[in-house]
Amino acid sequence: MTKTKTILAALAAGLLASTSALAGDVRIMWYSDGVEGEVLKDLVDRFMKENPGINVILDNVSYSVVREQLPVQLEAGDGPDIARVTNLKAQSQHWLDLRPLVADAAYWDENFGAQADWMRPDGSSQISGFMTQITLAGGFANKTLFEQAGVAIPGKDATWDDWAKAAKAVAENQQVPFAMALDRSGHRLTGPVLSYGANYIGADGKPAPLDQGTKDFLKKFIGWIEDGTMSKDVWVSAAGSTYRAAADDFINGQLVYYYSGSWQVPNFSTKIGSNFDWVATGSPCGPVNCTGMPGGAGLVAIKYTKNPTEVAKVMDYLAREDIVKEFSERTLFLPAHKGLLAKGLDFKTDDAQAKEALNAFVAATGSLSDLAQKLPGWFWSDTFYGAMVTRISQAAAGEMPVEEAFTRIDADIAAKVKDSGL
Amino acid sequence: MRTHNSGKSSLGALVMAPIHFLMGILDAPLRWLQRATGIGGMAAFFLMPNMLIFGIFVLLPFFINFAYSMTGGTALFLPDRTFVGAGQYARLFDCRSYLDPGSCAEDTFWTAVKNTAWFVVLQVTLMILVSLVTALILNRDLAARSFWRAVFFFPVLLSPVVVGLIWKWILQRQGLLNFGLYGLGFDPHVWLNDRNWAFAATIGVSIWAHMGFYTLILLAGLQAIPKDLYEAAEMDGTRPARAFWRITLPLLMPNLLVVVVLVLIRAVQIFDEVYVLTGGGPGTSTLYLTQYIYETGFAAQLRNPGLAAAASILMGAVLVVLTLLQLGLGRSEKKGGRK
């Protein structure tokens, strides 16, 4: 009997060991828009040479895995040890507090404190991670098409209407299929909506019903899709809140003006090369301001890790100034590190267009509205974005009038708030 | 000769030895079990492994899913969720008119139901017609008949994701079809942005991808029909159309019945290739029920597993009805055959 018990205990122990992380293993879930996965691999390899007791496993996944599968893993109390995530605030209850674990919490507060609130529960002083990149939504114009059409590129304070008019003139002249495109994303839609004076946040901190500013831009936007100024392909290409980008149309020279964001710079630099000239234009102006939307991806530690000490060591290493500098310069990403931003960066590219575009985005950070800076840290941002994308797509596809879409957006958001029990 | 035989038998004995040994060990307890439980008990004993697998992987998830459908909130674990009774079902059925999805609280669910219903009616009808015609053609004495059979079966071997991607490359704005049309002097058309064409494309692609399998089942049925029946009919001067209605179709009915039910069930569950091809768009014109369940339960920013579970239970109920229909028709077919 004792022998049987011993065998069963050994089997159970073996089973447990096979299903849990080995001591010293740190698993990172990572997605890439460009070359950042390769750069991170170099950095991680160096870390493992310096720290032979820690084995860092890099799981390169698609963005949709981070958006759709990671949340389910986290809800189940599972998942990687570290993850690169964009939906930072709404999942902040799953992040590990690194404050007692990192070597120098003051260094983290000083250099990454400005965005710390984006990734921690409200009212907490937790250190959850750091932004691997700060992004800013903004526009890109195909300069070659403008020149060939003999149309002047609208200036710094040009409005959305100015851009629509100019882009349409170029598209007609150059016989390209799309004048303008805006990614199928609520985040992207929010920049122009805010420039029309919108406010998503109610007095109680929960989502407010759509206001006049939001409705004004959304009506204009759907009107542009209907008259062919704005690419219909991107917005009607899926149901629900699925993300779709129009980057390939811009890269293929089929699009005159593309509203996306700073993360496209390395992508364009690599894929467009010398095929045509392009420029970053910042965000067009609305009646109230010329804001874009800030955002980015953060690297966060997951609180379900079996190896928190090792995780903190990896995070300390990746957040080091010299490592952030190398990562940002090689990936052409704007860093969040305050000290590094003050010292400046030398982006590793021979592409003058890319350097100029990055500078344009840095300059555009000066025109961000207060609300735009607040939204990345607002719990309900993604709920708002999802509802807008779903219903605006339906209106753009002709399934419902725009006024009904507005009613549905409000109802969808109210239902989500009710479902959450918050 | 004798030596060869004895070598063969000694090899057989060697191979069978462990089996005989195992049987020897099992023999006594099994005899005891049969004495204790009778023949019925033995049947249950031998069915138990399968029933256990069925219970763990089908029945248990069904009951867990049902339990989820009675809960609300966004938490994933059942104990963390709040009991709402039939609240999720009430939400799904909260409609002024079931024929107008726009009048429902969960309009997307009813849009998905409507789309799925249309898809099932059109796809099942066309799938059976196309599979039957293909099977009839492939049953004839064609040149390179095996090659043609392989050609029609090949898409069945492809992953649904590959099927979706292939057709996306063909149908998209700058796809192969528009390239061909442009070459022939026609205006290109954005097929997947057009509600009707996108819907038609999902039907066409699913038929292309799966018809090979159903054709194969029907072909097997056609080949089982005795040739002498046709010869006798021909001697009596029966026209080919009459032979088809009076000989082929009645004798093919058991196979046809299996195909109808399989196609129906598969059509209700349509998801993968459509998700890749259209993503449910344009708008929600190709949003089918499984995609609605997936997006509600997993892909939405604030997931609602309870609502997704309730929708999947309703879909499950439809599938149960279809399966019962198959059983009922199968039984009446057998009775008809006996008469």
Side-chain angles (χ1 to χ4, degrees):
Chain A
M1 191 64 184
T2 315
K3 200 177 171 185
T4 314
K5 275 184 181 171
T6 313
I7 292 168
L8 285 173
L11 277 172
L15 194 66
L16 275 175
S18 68
T19 54
S20 60
L22 293 171
D25 274 0
V26 174
R27 192 172 279 279
I28 303 179
M29 183 185 274
W30 184 269
Y31 76 90
S32 295
D33 288 318
V35 297
E36 63 268 35
E38 293 158 40
V39 176
L40 183 77
K41 189 175 178 308
D42 280 355
L43 299 174
V44 160
D45 286 347
R46 251 184 277 158
F47 171 82
M48 287 196 287
K49 273 184 192 157
E50 288 172 24
N51 299 271
I54 301 176
N55 180 37
V56 183
I57 303 153
L58 202 56
D59 290 332
N60 282 297
V61 299
S62 70
Y63 181 55
S64 62
V65 171
V66 176
R67 276 186 70 86
E68 293 168 15
Q69 292 180 26
L70 178 66
V72 179
Q73 293 177 20
L74 295 175
E75 283 290 329
D78 205 350
D81 301 296
I82 296 172
R84 187 181 190 217
V85 179
T86 53
N87 189 8
L88 289 158
K89 187 72 169 186
Q91 302 184 99
S92 59
Q93 73 273 22
H94 301 297
W95 311 150
L96 174 71
D97 185 4
L98 291 166
R99 187 170 288 281
L101 298 166
V102 291
D104 181 5
Y107 166 85
W108 282 75
D109 288 337
E110 170 65 20
N111 291 300
F112 300 110
Q115 296 84 29
D117 200 38
W118 293 7
M119 57 183 88
R120 64 186 170 203
D122 285 337
S124 135
S125 65
Q126 177 172 318
I127 295 175
S128 306
F130 67 98
M131 301 298 288
T132 56
Q133 73 193 109
I134 289 291
T135 60
L136 184 63
F140 297 92
N142 184 323
K143 194 177 167 191
T144 303
L145 285 177
F146 271 93
E147 285 169 356
Q148 286 172 353
V151 176
I153 293 180
K156 186 173 154 283
D157 296 324
T159 63
W160 278 97
D161 288 320
D162 297 335
W163 273 105
K165 195 176 160 193
K168 201 168 182 186
V170 173
E172 280 168 6
N173 183 282
Q174 293 295 297
Q175 307 250 303
V176 293
F178 311 114
M180 296 173 93
L182 188 143
D183 289 335
R184 191 176 193 270
S185 149
H187 175 271
R188 231 67 80 241
L189 205 50
T190 296
V193 163
L194 296 187
S195 75
Y196 273 67
N199 180 19
Y200 296 169
I201 308 175
D204 57 356
K206 288 184 180 167
L210 296 188
D211 58 16
Q212 201 51 48
T214 311
K215 289 179 179 176
D216 286 347
F217 182 77
L218 293 181
K219 274 183 193 166
K220 193 176 277 286
F221 180 70
I222 290 168
W224 281 335
I225 289 177
E226 282 168 355
D227 72 14
T229 305
M230 190 70 73
S231 165
K232 191 179 178 184
D233 288 25
V234 179
W235 277 78
V236 302
S237 61
S241 57
T242 308
Y243 173 74
R244 291 275 193 273
D248 286 346
D249 292 325
F250 189 77
I251 290 165
N252 291 331
Q254 300 289 301
L255 173 59
V256 179
Y257 180 78
Y258 176 35
Y259 193 76
S260 186
S262 57
W263 60 94
Q264 298 286 5
V265 172
N267 192 27
F268 291 168
S269 175
T270 313
K271 290 180 182 165
I272 295 173
S274 57
N275 290 349
F276 60 83
D277 292 336
W278 55 276
V279 287
T281 64
S283 284
C285 298
V288 176
N289 58 44
C290 313
T291 191
M293 269 297 291
L299 196 66
V300 286
I302 314 289
K303 74 176 178 189
Y304 312 113
T305 178
K306 304 280 189 299
N307 302 314
T309 314
E310 286 82 358
V311 165
K313 273 190 181 164
V314 175
M315 292 295 280
D316 260 337
Y317 168 80
L318 293 173
R320 238 165 57 187
E321 185 175 320
D322 59 322
I323 298 296
V324 174
K325 184 172 192 295
E326 182 180 339
F327 179 81
S328 304
E329 287 178 348
R330 286 175 65 187
T331 56
L332 307 185
F333 284 163
L334 304 177
H337 194 289
K338 192 178 165 192
L340 194 57
L341 280 169
K343 287 176 191 162
L345 291 115
D346 179 21
F347 290 108
K348 305 290 182 218
T349 175
D350 297 330
D351 187 346
Q353 294 186 121
K355 278 194 177 184
E356 203 177 312
L358 288 167
N359 290 332
F361 276 106
V362 172
T365 54
S367 57
L368 289 178
S369 75
D370 290 343
L371 186 58
Q373 299 197 57
K374 196 174 176 183
L375 283 177
W378 187 47
F379 181 85
W380 298 102
S381 291
D382 267 8
T383 305
F384 225 104
Y385 298 161
M388 279 205 301
V389 170
T390 303
R391 298 306 184 175
I392 293 306
S393 295
Q394 285 183 265
E399 285 184 3
M400 60 174 67
V402 67
E403 291 298 338
E404 191 188 333
F406 294 156
T407 311
R408 288 284 179 188
I409 291 171
D410 284 336
D412 288 351
I413 294 171
K416 294 282 181 196
V417 172
K418 194 178 166 201
D419 287 342
S420 75
L422 295 173
Chain B
M1 194 68 174
R2 189 182 289 170
T3 318
H4 180 70
N5 269 347
S6 84
K8 212 174 174 181
S9 63
S10 62
L11 183 70
L14 200 68
V15 171
M16 292 304 286
I19 297 169
H20 284 148
F21 176 70
L22 194 69
M23 290 304 199
I25 294 174
L26 290 175
D27 190 52
L30 286 179
R31 280 183 190 282
W32 174 83
L33 192 69
Q34 189 171 344
R35 272 197 303 275
T37 62
I39 297 290
M42 288 306 284
F45 175 76
F46 285 115
L47 280 174
M48 199 181 291
N50 268 350
M51 295 311 288
L52 209 62
I53 291 170
F54 182 76
I56 291 171
F57 294 106
V58 178
L59 286 181
L60 187 64
F62 173 80
F63 287 121
I64 293 174
N65 198 34
F66 184 71
Y68 266 96
S69 75
M70 309 294 269
T71 61
T74 54
L76 189 71
F77 281 126
L78 204 49
D80 301 336
R81 300 177 58 77
T82 43
F83 179 75
V84 295
Q88 303 287 17
Y89 295 94
R91 184 164 159 183
L92 288 176
F93 283 104
D94 181 9
C95 275
R96 284 195 303 278
S97 162
Y98 294 119
L99 296 175
D100 174 18
S103 72
C104 302
E106 277 298 318
D107 63 318
T108 319
F109 170 74
W110 286 99
T111 302
V113 169
K114 194 178 101 181
N115 290 346
T116 309
W118 274 113
F119 179 86
V120 167
V121 169
L122 295 171
Q123 195 254 18
V124 171
T125 311
L126 288 170
M127 176 77 93
I128 288 162
L129 279 176
V130 172
S131 301
L132 184 60
V133 170
T134 312
L136 287 168
I137 293 170
L138 291 177
N139 196 38
R140 299 172 79 93
D141 285 328
L142 293 175
R145 189 165 64 169
S146 300
F147 168 76
W148 290 114
R149 285 178 184 175
V151 164
F152 282 101
F153 190 73
F154 179 69
V156 178
L157 304 174
L158 296 177
S159 141
V161 174
V162 173
V163 169
L165 283 175
I166 288 172
W167 281 95
K168 196 169 186 174
W169 289 334
I170 293 171
L171 297 170
Q172 65 191 7
R173 183 184 284 271
Q174 286 159 329
L176 206 60
L177 182 58
N178 276 342
F179 181 75
L181 285 174
Y182 189 73
L184 292 170
F186 294 103
D187 282 337
H189 186 74
V190 193
W191 307 98
L192 298 178
N193 275 8
D194 182 308
R195 297 170 53 77
N196 296 325
W197 278 113
F199 184 74
T202 62
I203 292 174
V205 169
S206 71
I207 290 174
W208 179 83
H210 303 290
M211 64 167 277
F213 178 65
Y214 305 114
T215 300
L216 207 68
I217 296 175
L218 294 176
L219 193 59
L222 287 173
Q223 288 181 346
I225 299 174
K227 295 278 181 289
D228 50 0
L229 290 176
Y230 292 104
E231 286 165 8
E234 200 178 342
M235 285 170 71
D236 290 343
T238 310
R239 281 172 290 128
R242 191 173 164 81
F244 173 77
W245 289 109
R246 291 305 179 102
I247 300 172
T248 309
L249 213 52
L251 291 176
L252 196 59
M253 205 45 88
N255 295 58
L256 213 50
L257 192 67
V258 170
V259 168
V260 169
V261 174
L262 289 178
V263 175
L264 261 174
I265 291 173
R266 171 82 200 179
V268 174
Q269 294 174 320
I270 185 78
F271 173 62
D272 24 30
E273 58 254 34
V274 172
Y275 189 65
V276 176
L277 180 67
T278 66
T284 53
S285 52
T286 59
L287 177 76
Y288 300 120
L289 208 44
T290 314
Q291 188 179 337
Y292 168 82
I293 293 167
Y294 166 69
E295 293 199 338
T296 306
F298 299 102
Q301 269 87 3
L302 273 177
R303 296 170 301 282
N304 191 335
L307 196 65
S312 71
I313 291 286
L314 294 176
M315 186 173 141
V318 172
L319 292 175
V320 167
V321 169
L322 292 178
T323 311
L324 290 175
L325 196 73
Q326 179 209 7
L327 288 172
L329 286 173
R331 277 182 193 149
S332 61
E333 180 66 26
K334 269 183 191 168
K335 278 179 192 167
R338 275 192 214 115
K339 280 175 194 171

